[in-house]
Amino acid sequence: MITTKSEREIKLMREAGRIVALAHQEVQTLIKPGVSTKQLDGLIESVIIKHGATPSFKGYGGFPAASCTSINHVLVHGIPDDTKLKAGDIISVDIGANYKGYHGDSAWTYAVGEVSEDIKRLLTVSEASLFEGLKYAKANNRLYDISHAIGEYVMRHGYSVPLEYTGHGIGSSLHEEPAVPNVGIPNTGIVLKAGMTLAVEPMVHMGKPFTKVLADDWTVITLDKSLAAHFEHTIVITETGYEILTAL
Ligand code: MG
Ligand code: MG
């Protein structure tokens, strides 16, 4: 079932989203060579708890940490551990917070130290693809208008998107209907309504779109080991467009 949220629910999601954004803001200051993904996760969890929320991901389906930390060719769901960041790496950090029963979810890919021009382009295009999709986030548009805009933008720049991972509805559950794919046919899919809350999240491969899940049953990598980026915001659809909930 696809729900529209009440003003009261959106208020709680705005606060959940603000806490996620604060965790991103703080963790960015720690992203440098020599720091472990476990250290990043510790900081993220402490920021979430300090603001009266709980990490949405911890315990979700048995996930062991507060955040997903996915380095280089890891697309999503990397588990924080003792792996240390190196200069030239990229790391996707995905953070969810549950505030009084409502969730915010946002991912961002960060450069570690100085990165190559090729990597800078991947990050710029991937981030821009999120906002290309959001141009179509508006009441009375159709859901796959967003998907189409993301996919077209990514592919026009020579990259690919995996088909098996998508964005999603979000609210009192971390993952709700509908799925929000990163490719689609324009003018199809459900009609968007004011009050729908969605996590829109382009995942972008520098190489081919295929993925593989590692033996830990979580870590998703690109099959060709090409670099991957991930940018996500939680939004609410409005009559005139959208509001980003996971921003400060
Ligand atoms: Mg996420
Ligand atoms: Mg998500």
Side-chain angles (χ1 to χ4, degrees):
M1 200 182 54
I2 301 167
T3 60
T4 55
K5 272 70 178 180
S6 67
E7 238 345 284
R8 183 193 72 91
E9 291 179 299
I10 291 166
K11 230 179 192 170
L12 293 172
M13 290 185 70
R14 204 176 275 127
E15 183 57 16
R18 194 183 70 87
I19 294 165
V20 169
L22 283 169
H24 270 291
Q25 190 185 51
E26 290 224 20
V27 80
Q28 274 178 73
T29 65
L30 198 58
I31 292 178
K32 45 188 127 178
V35 174
S36 74
T37 51
K38 214 178 200 164
Q39 285 173 276
L40 302 181
D41 187 66
L43 175 62
I44 289 164
E45 182 162 14
S46 73
V47 173
I48 291 172
I49 288 168
K50 187 171 77 189
H51 290 89
T54 55
S56 304
F57 301 167
K58 204 168 196 179
Y60 186 91
F63 191 77
S67 61
C68 300
T69 51
S70 305
I71 297 174
N72 295 338
H73 67 280
V74 179
L75 172 64
V76 286
H77 305 165
I79 299 172
D81 61 13
D82 294 322
T83 307
K84 287 186 166 61
L85 301 176
K86 300 191 305 291
D89 283 348
I90 52 173
I91 179 169
S92 302
V93 181
D94 198 349
I95 304 175
N98 175 348
Y99 180 75
K100 297 188 178 170
Y102 286 85
H103 297 269
D105 184 9
S106 172
W108 222 253
T109 303
Y110 301 106
V112 182
E114 221 13 70
V115 296
S116 70
E117 288 305 315
D118 278 3
I119 293 178
K120 282 182 194 160
R121 183 176 180 271
L122 174 71
L123 300 186
T124 304
V125 169
S126 303
E127 181 178 347
S129 77
L130 169 60
F131 294 94
E132 285 296 314
L134 292 180
K135 284 181 184 169
Y136 296 86
K138 182 180 175 178
N140 299 316
N141 278 354
R142 296 181 77 164
L143 179 65
Y144 301 152
D145 293 340
I146 298 174
S147 308
H148 174 76
I150 292 170
E152 278 300 301
Y153 189 83
V154 168
M155 288 183 271
R156 203 185 324 137
H157 286 85
Y159 304 135
S160 70
V161 294
L163 300 181
E164 57 272 51
Y165 297 94
T166 68
H168 49 92
I170 179 168
S172 55
S173 299
L174 178 61
H175 294 115
E176 299 184 352
E177 287 179 56
V180 184
N182 291 315
V183 288
I185 297 167
N187 205 28
T188 67
I190 58 150
V191 175
L192 299 173
K193 288 193 194 126
M196 284 180 179
T197 44
L198 304 171
V200 181
E201 49 181 311
M203 289 158 245
V204 178
H205 294 184
M206 209 179 240
K208 294 201 166 66
F210 312 111
T211 62
K212 178 182 154 176
V213 182
L214 296 187
D216 63 17
D217 275 338
W218 280 109
T219 310
V220 179
I221 64 166
T222 58
L223 192 59
D224 62 7
K225 304 265 180 85
S226 66
L227 295 176
H230 183 200
F231 289 85
E232 174 184 33
H233 268 313
T234 298
I235 62 157
V236 57
I237 301 289
T238 67
E239 292 297 345
T240 54
Y242 65 91
E243 177 191 339
I244 294 175
L245 299 176
T246 38
L248 295 176

mmCIF file of all heavy atoms in Angstrom, residues 141-176:
data_model
loop_
_atom_site.group_PDB
_atom_site.id
_atom_site.type_symbol
_atom_site.label_atom_id
_atom_site.label_comp_id
_atom_site.label_asym_id
_atom_site.label_seq_id
_atom_site.Cartn_x
_atom_site.Cartn_y
_atom_site.Cartn_z
ATOM 1 N N ASN A 141 2.570 14.267 -11.449
ATOM 2 C CA ASN A 141 3.503 13.579 -12.347
ATOM 3 C C ASN A 141 3.423 12.094 -12.045
ATOM 4 O O ASN A 141 2.801 11.683 -11.068
ATOM 5 C CB ASN A 141 4.937 14.057 -12.119
ATOM 6 C CG ASN A 141 5.232 15.362 -12.838
ATOM 7 O OD1 ASN A 141 4.410 15.863 -13.594
ATOM 8 N ND2 ASN A 141 6.403 15.908 -12.583
ATOM 9 N N ARG A 142 4.079 11.292 -12.878
ATOM 10 C CA ARG A 142 4.073 9.852 -12.610
ATOM 11 C C ARG A 142 5.458 9.397 -12.153
ATOM 12 O O ARG A 142 6.479 9.977 -12.502
ATOM 13 C CB ARG A 142 3.565 9.112 -13.839
ATOM 14 C CG ARG A 142 2.101 9.526 -14.094
ATOM 15 C CD ARG A 142 1.482 8.861 -15.258
ATOM 16 N NE ARG A 142 1.114 7.486 -14.933
ATOM 17 C CZ ARG A 142 0.263 6.778 -15.687
ATOM 18 N NH1 ARG A 142 -0.273 7.306 -16.767
ATOM 19 N NH2 ARG A 142 -0.032 5.540 -15.351
ATOM 20 N N LEU A 143 5.410 8.347 -11.310
ATOM 21 C CA LEU A 143 6.629 7.916 -10.606
ATOM 22 C C LEU A 143 7.806 7.664 -11.555
ATOM 23 O O LEU A 143 8.933 8.076 -11.273
ATOM 24 C CB LEU A 143 6.327 6.652 -9.795
ATOM 25 C CG LEU A 143 7.498 6.068 -9.019
ATOM 26 C CD1 LEU A 143 7.959 7.026 -7.921
ATOM 27 C CD2 LEU A 143 7.137 4.716 -8.410
ATOM 28 N N TYR A 144 7.544 6.985 -12.679
ATOM 29 C CA TYR A 144 8.687 6.608 -13.518
ATOM 30 C C TYR A 144 9.208 7.770 -14.355
ATOM 31 O O TYR A 144 10.221 7.625 -15.046
ATOM 32 C CB TYR A 144 8.362 5.381 -14.366
ATOM 33 C CG TYR A 144 7.974 4.169 -13.542
ATOM 34 C CD1 TYR A 144 7.123 3.181 -14.043
ATOM 35 C CD2 TYR A 144 8.457 4.005 -12.242
ATOM 36 C CE1 TYR A 144 6.760 2.081 -13.280
ATOM 37 C CE2 TYR A 144 8.096 2.918 -11.470
ATOM 38 C CZ TYR A 144 7.247 1.955 -11.991
ATOM 39 O OH TYR A 144 6.890 0.863 -11.234
ATOM 40 N N ASP A 145 8.553 8.923 -14.264
ATOM 41 C CA ASP A 145 9.153 10.138 -14.824
ATOM 42 C C ASP A 145 10.480 10.413 -14.097
ATOM 43 O O ASP A 145 11.475 10.801 -14.716
ATOM 44 C CB ASP A 145 8.228 11.356 -14.631
ATOM 45 C CG ASP A 145 6.939 11.245 -15.442
ATOM 46 O OD1 ASP A 145 6.903 10.469 -16.414
ATOM 47 O OD2 ASP A 145 5.972 11.945 -15.085
ATOM 48 N N ILE A 146 10.457 10.204 -12.777
ATOM 49 C CA ILE A 146 11.673 10.384 -11.966
ATOM 50 C C ILE A 146 12.724 9.355 -12.390
ATOM 51 O O ILE A 146 13.883 9.690 -12.663
ATOM 52 C CB ILE A 146 11.363 10.219 -10.455
ATOM 53 C CG1 ILE A 146 10.359 11.279 -9.975
ATOM 54 C CG2 ILE A 146 12.653 10.260 -9.633
ATOM 55 C CD1 ILE A 146 9.900 11.085 -8.523
ATOM 56 N N SER A 147 12.293 8.093 -12.474
ATOM 57 C CA SER A 147 13.207 6.990 -12.819
ATOM 58 C C SER A 147 13.851 7.222 -14.184
ATOM 59 O O SER A 147 15.062 7.051 -14.368
ATOM 60 C CB SER A 147 12.419 5.675 -12.857
ATOM 61 O OG SER A 147 11.693 5.495 -11.664
ATOM 62 N N HIS A 148 13.019 7.616 -15.136
ATOM 63 C CA HIS A 148 13.501 7.836 -16.501
ATOM 64 C C HIS A 148 14.568 8.933 -16.529
ATOM 65 O O HIS A 148 15.613 8.779 -17.170
ATOM 66 C CB HIS A 148 12.322 8.224 -17.393
ATOM 67 C CG HIS A 148 12.721 8.617 -18.777
ATOM 68 N ND1 HIS A 148 13.095 7.697 -19.735
ATOM 69 C CD2 HIS A 148 12.829 9.830 -19.367
ATOM 70 C CE1 HIS A 148 13.410 8.330 -20.840
ATOM 71 N NE2 HIS A 148 13.256 9.623 -20.654
ATOM 72 N N ALA A 149 14.286 10.031 -15.833
ATOM 73 C CA ALA A 149 15.226 11.154 -15.838
ATOM 74 C C ALA A 149 16.579 10.748 -15.254
ATOM 75 O O ALA A 149 17.634 11.125 -15.786
ATOM 76 C CB ALA A 149 14.634 12.334 -15.057
ATOM 77 N N ILE A 150 16.557 9.963 -14.198
ATOM 78 C CA ILE A 150 17.812 9.503 -13.580
ATOM 79 C C ILE A 150 18.576 8.615 -14.563
ATOM 80 O O ILE A 150 19.750 8.844 -14.856
ATOM 81 C CB ILE A 150 17.541 8.718 -12.270
ATOM 82 C CG1 ILE A 150 16.987 9.652 -11.187
ATOM 83 C CG2 ILE A 150 18.816 8.017 -11.784
ATOM 84 C CD1 ILE A 150 16.472 8.928 -9.946
ATOM 85 N N GLY A 151 17.905 7.594 -15.054
ATOM 86 C CA GLY A 151 18.559 6.608 -15.924
ATOM 87 C C GLY A 151 19.125 7.234 -17.188
ATOM 88 O O GLY A 151 20.256 6.947 -17.589
ATOM 89 N N GLU A 152 18.323 8.113 -17.811
ATOM 90 C CA GLU A 152 18.771 8.758 -19.043
ATOM 91 C C GLU A 152 20.019 9.596 -18.798
ATOM 92 O O GLU A 152 20.971 9.575 -19.577
ATOM 93 C CB GLU A 152 17.659 9.673 -19.583
ATOM 94 C CG GLU A 152 16.606 8.943 -20.372
ATOM 95 C CD GLU A 152 17.195 8.231 -21.584
ATOM 96 O OE1 GLU A 152 17.786 8.900 -22.436
ATOM 97 O OE2 GLU A 152 17.065 6.994 -21.630
ATOM 98 N N TYR A 153 20.002 10.347 -17.708
ATOM 99 C CA TYR A 153 21.124 11.228 -17.402
ATOM 100 C C TYR A 153 22.405 10.405 -17.171
ATOM 101 O O TYR A 153 23.473 10.742 -17.686
ATOM 102 C CB TYR A 153 20.795 12.087 -16.173
ATOM 103 C CG TYR A 153 21.807 13.156 -15.916
ATOM 104 C CD1 TYR A 153 21.759 14.372 -16.594
ATOM 105 C CD2 TYR A 153 22.843 12.960 -15.000
ATOM 106 C CE1 TYR A 153 22.701 15.362 -16.368
ATOM 107 C CE2 TYR A 153 23.789 13.941 -14.775
ATOM 108 C CZ TYR A 153 23.710 15.139 -15.457
ATOM 109 O OH TYR A 153 24.657 16.108 -15.240
ATOM 110 N N VAL A 154 22.266 9.340 -16.401
ATOM 111 C CA VAL A 154 23.432 8.504 -16.088
ATOM 112 C C VAL A 154 23.998 7.871 -17.362
ATOM 113 O O VAL A 154 25.204 7.925 -17.631
ATOM 114 C CB VAL A 154 23.045 7.401 -15.066
ATOM 115 C CG1 VAL A 154 24.150 6.352 -14.950
ATOM 116 C CG2 VAL A 154 22.742 8.018 -13.703
ATOM 117 N N MET A 155 23.108 7.301 -18.157
ATOM 118 C CA MET A 155 23.572 6.563 -19.340
ATOM 119 C C MET A 155 24.129 7.496 -20.415
ATOM 120 O O MET A 155 25.083 7.163 -21.101
ATOM 121 C CB MET A 155 22.457 5.676 -19.865
ATOM 122 C CG MET A 155 22.238 4.495 -18.909
ATOM 123 S SD MET A 155 21.009 3.297 -19.442
ATOM 124 C CE MET A 155 19.522 3.982 -18.746
ATOM 125 N N ARG A 156 23.535 8.699 -20.500
ATOM 126 C CA ARG A 156 24.052 9.701 -21.439
ATOM 127 C C ARG A 156 25.503 10.057 -21.123
ATOM 128 O O ARG A 156 26.266 10.471 -21.981
ATOM 129 C CB ARG A 156 23.168 10.956 -21.343
ATOM 130 C CG ARG A 156 23.224 11.829 -22.577
ATOM 131 C CD ARG A 156 22.442 13.132 -22.439
ATOM 132 N NE ARG A 156 21.226 13.028 -21.669
ATOM 133 C CZ ARG A 156 20.847 13.946 -20.762
ATOM 134 N NH1 ARG A 156 21.613 14.992 -20.506
ATOM 135 N NH2 ARG A 156 19.719 13.804 -20.113
ATOM 136 N N HIS A 157 25.878 9.912 -19.865
ATOM 137 C CA HIS A 157 27.251 10.223 -19.466
ATOM 138 C C HIS A 157 28.154 8.986 -19.484
ATOM 139 O O HIS A 157 29.278 9.018 -18.956
ATOM 140 C CB HIS A 157 27.252 10.891 -18.092
ATOM 141 C CG HIS A 157 26.776 12.306 -18.157
ATOM 142 N ND1 HIS A 157 25.439 12.643 -18.110
ATOM 143 C CD2 HIS A 157 27.449 13.466 -18.327
ATOM 144 C CE1 HIS A 157 25.315 13.956 -18.223
ATOM 145 N NE2 HIS A 157 26.515 14.477 -18.360
ATOM 146 N N GLY A 158 27.645 7.880 -20.031
ATOM 147 C CA GLY A 158 28.496 6.711 -20.238
ATOM 148 C C GLY A 158 28.588 5.754 -19.061
ATOM 149 O O GLY A 158 29.411 4.837 -19.071
ATOM 150 N N TYR A 159 27.744 5.953 -18.054
ATOM 151 C CA TYR A 159 27.744 5.044 -16.901
ATOM 152 C C TYR A 159 26.498 4.170 -16.954
ATOM 153 O O TYR A 159 25.666 4.300 -17.851
ATOM 154 C CB TYR A 159 27.757 5.852 -15.596
ATOM 155 C CG TYR A 159 28.906 6.826 -15.466
ATOM 156 C CD1 TYR A 159 28.681 8.130 -15.020
ATOM 157 C CD2 TYR A 159 30.217 6.450 -15.771
ATOM 158 C CE1 TYR A 159 29.729 9.037 -14.883
ATOM 159 C CE2 TYR A 159 31.274 7.353 -15.631
ATOM 160 C CZ TYR A 159 31.021 8.649 -15.184
ATOM 161 O OH TYR A 159 32.053 9.530 -15.050
ATOM 162 N N SER A 160 26.360 3.275 -15.964
ATOM 163 C CA SER A 160 25.185 2.393 -15.950
ATOM 164 C C SER A 160 24.553 2.371 -14.556
ATOM 165 O O SER A 160 25.181 2.806 -13.578
ATOM 166 C CB SER A 160 25.586 0.969 -16.364
ATOM 167 O OG SER A 160 26.369 0.366 -15.351
ATOM 168 N N VAL A 161 23.315 1.892 -14.492
ATOM 169 C CA VAL A 161 22.647 1.724 -13.183
ATOM 170 C C VAL A 161 22.238 0.262 -13.030
ATOM 171 O O VAL A 161 21.741 -0.356 -13.974
ATOM 172 C CB VAL A 161 21.406 2.630 -13.023
ATOM 173 C CG1 VAL A 161 21.795 4.075 -12.999
ATOM 174 C CG2 VAL A 161 20.385 2.395 -14.111
ATOM 175 N N PRO A 162 22.438 -0.291 -11.836
ATOM 176 C CA PRO A 162 22.009 -1.671 -11.593
ATOM 177 C C PRO A 162 20.483 -1.702 -11.511
ATOM 178 O O PRO A 162 19.876 -0.808 -10.925
ATOM 179 C CB PRO A 162 22.641 -1.997 -10.244
ATOM 180 C CG PRO A 162 22.781 -0.681 -9.554
ATOM 181 C CD PRO A 162 23.016 0.331 -10.634
ATOM 182 N N LEU A 163 19.874 -2.727 -12.089
ATOM 183 C CA LEU A 163 18.406 -2.793 -12.112
ATOM 184 C C LEU A 163 17.843 -3.395 -10.831
ATOM 185 O O LEU A 163 16.687 -3.155 -10.483
ATOM 186 C CB LEU A 163 17.941 -3.638 -13.307
ATOM 187 C CG LEU A 163 18.389 -3.103 -14.673
ATOM 188 C CD1 LEU A 163 17.862 -3.991 -15.781
ATOM 189 C CD2 LEU A 163 17.927 -1.658 -14.861
ATOM 190 N N GLU A 164 18.651 -4.165 -10.107
ATOM 191 C CA GLU A 164 18.099 -4.931 -8.988
ATOM 192 C C GLU A 164 18.054 -4.153 -7.667
ATOM 193 O O GLU A 164 17.564 -4.664 -6.672
ATOM 194 C CB GLU A 164 18.823 -6.270 -8.823
ATOM 195 C CG GLU A 164 20.325 -6.175 -8.629
ATOM 196 C CD GLU A 164 21.100 -6.171 -9.954
ATOM 197 O OE1 GLU A 164 20.769 -5.370 -10.840
ATOM 198 O OE2 GLU A 164 22.061 -6.949 -10.071
ATOM 199 N N TYR A 165 18.553 -2.916 -7.665
ATOM 200 C CA TYR A 165 18.467 -2.101 -6.441
ATOM 201 C C TYR A 165 17.765 -0.791 -6.781
ATOM 202 O O TYR A 165 18.052 -0.173 -7.808
ATOM 203 C CB TYR A 165 19.865 -1.848 -5.857
ATOM 204 C CG TYR A 165 20.507 -3.146 -5.448
ATOM 205 C CD1 TYR A 165 21.357 -3.831 -6.307
ATOM 206 C CD2 TYR A 165 20.185 -3.730 -4.228
ATOM 207 C CE1 TYR A 165 21.895 -5.062 -5.951
ATOM 208 C CE2 TYR A 165 20.721 -4.961 -3.857
ATOM 209 C CZ TYR A 165 21.575 -5.615 -4.727
ATOM 210 O OH TYR A 165 22.092 -6.839 -4.376
ATOM 211 N N THR A 166 16.842 -0.392 -5.917
ATOM 212 C CA THR A 166 15.999 0.770 -6.219
ATOM 213 C C THR A 166 15.826 1.640 -4.977
ATOM 214 O O THR A 166 16.132 1.214 -3.857
ATOM 215 C CB THR A 166 14.584 0.322 -6.657
ATOM 216 O OG1 THR A 166 13.917 -0.265 -5.521
ATOM 217 C CG2 THR A 166 14.629 -0.676 -7.809
ATOM 218 N N GLY A 167 15.282 2.833 -5.190
ATOM 219 C CA GLY A 167 14.772 3.623 -4.080
ATOM 220 C C GLY A 167 13.431 3.046 -3.641
ATOM 221 O O GLY A 167 12.999 2.004 -4.136
ATOM 222 N N HIS A 168 12.761 3.776 -2.730
ATOM 223 C CA HIS A 168 11.598 3.173 -2.065
ATOM 224 C C HIS A 168 10.766 4.233 -1.356
ATOM 225 O O HIS A 168 11.272 5.304 -1.009
ATOM 226 C CB HIS A 168 12.104 2.143 -1.038
ATOM 227 C CG HIS A 168 13.188 2.684 -0.144
ATOM 228 N ND1 HIS A 168 12.927 3.280 1.071
ATOM 229 C CD2 HIS A 168 14.528 2.776 -0.324
ATOM 230 C CE1 HIS A 168 14.085 3.685 1.596
ATOM 231 N NE2 HIS A 168 15.073 3.403 0.776
ATOM 232 N N GLY A 169 9.524 3.869 -1.102
ATOM 233 C CA GLY A 169 8.731 4.650 -0.167
ATOM 234 C C GLY A 169 9.333 4.519 1.220
ATOM 235 O O GLY A 169 10.095 3.584 1.493
ATOM 236 N N ILE A 170 9.024 5.470 2.090
ATOM 237 C CA ILE A 170 9.599 5.473 3.445
ATOM 238 C C ILE A 170 8.637 6.190 4.372
ATOM 239 O O ILE A 170 7.891 7.069 3.929
ATOM 240 C CB ILE A 170 11.000 6.135 3.426
ATOM 241 C CG1 ILE A 170 11.616 6.189 4.826
ATOM 242 C CG2 ILE A 170 10.961 7.540 2.792
ATOM 243 C CD1 ILE A 170 13.102 6.565 4.826
ATOM 244 N N GLY A 171 8.646 5.833 5.637
ATOM 245 C CA GLY A 171 7.753 6.492 6.594
ATOM 246 C C GLY A 171 7.902 5.834 7.955
ATOM 247 O O GLY A 171 8.985 5.882 8.543
ATOM 248 N N SER A 172 6.845 5.178 8.435
ATOM 249 C CA SER A 172 6.957 4.464 9.712
ATOM 250 C C SER A 172 7.729 3.157 9.505
ATOM 251 O O SER A 172 8.147 2.526 10.479
ATOM 252 C CB SER A 172 5.578 4.207 10.315
ATOM 253 O OG SER A 172 4.771 3.526 9.394
ATOM 254 N N SER A 173 7.920 2.753 8.265
ATOM 255 C CA SER A 173 8.865 1.673 7.929
ATOM 256 C C SER A 173 9.976 2.266 7.075
ATOM 257 O O SER A 173 9.745 3.205 6.314
ATOM 258 C CB SER A 173 8.187 0.563 7.131
ATOM 259 O OG SER A 173 7.155 -0.009 7.888
ATOM 260 N N LEU A 174 11.152 1.664 7.210
ATOM 261 C CA LEU A 174 12.295 2.142 6.421
ATOM 262 C C LEU A 174 12.047 1.936 4.931
ATOM 263 O O LEU A 174 12.372 2.797 4.121
ATOM 264 C CB LEU A 174 13.550 1.391 6.878
ATOM 265 C CG LEU A 174 14.855 1.702 6.164
ATOM 266 C CD1 LEU A 174 15.241 3.166 6.339
ATOM 267 C CD2 LEU A 174 15.975 0.794 6.684
ATOM 268 N N HIS A 175 11.490 0.786 4.599
ATOM 269 C CA HIS A 175 11.199 0.492 3.196
ATOM 270 C C HIS A 175 9.712 0.265 3.028
ATOM 271 O O HIS A 175 9.148 -0.656 3.613
ATOM 272 C CB HIS A 175 11.975 -0.747 2.727
ATOM 273 C CG HIS A 175 13.450 -0.530 2.718
ATOM 274 N ND1 HIS A 175 14.313 -1.212 3.531
ATOM 275 C CD2 HIS A 175 14.215 0.327 2.011
ATOM 276 C CE1 HIS A 175 15.557 -0.798 3.306
ATOM 277 N NE2 HIS A 175 15.522 0.144 2.391
ATOM 278 N N GLU A 176 9.081 1.126 2.262
ATOM 279 C CA GLU A 176 7.654 1.000 1.977
ATOM 280 C C GLU A 176 7.480 0.970 0.460
ATOM 281 O O GLU A 176 8.398 1.261 -0.297
ATOM 282 C CB GLU A 176 6.892 2.208 2.556
ATOM 283 C CG GLU A 176 7.025 2.325 4.070
ATOM 284 C CD GLU A 176 6.190 3.475 4.657
ATOM 285 O OE1 GLU A 176 5.628 4.283 3.890
ATOM 286 O OE2 GLU A 176 6.107 3.544 5.890
#
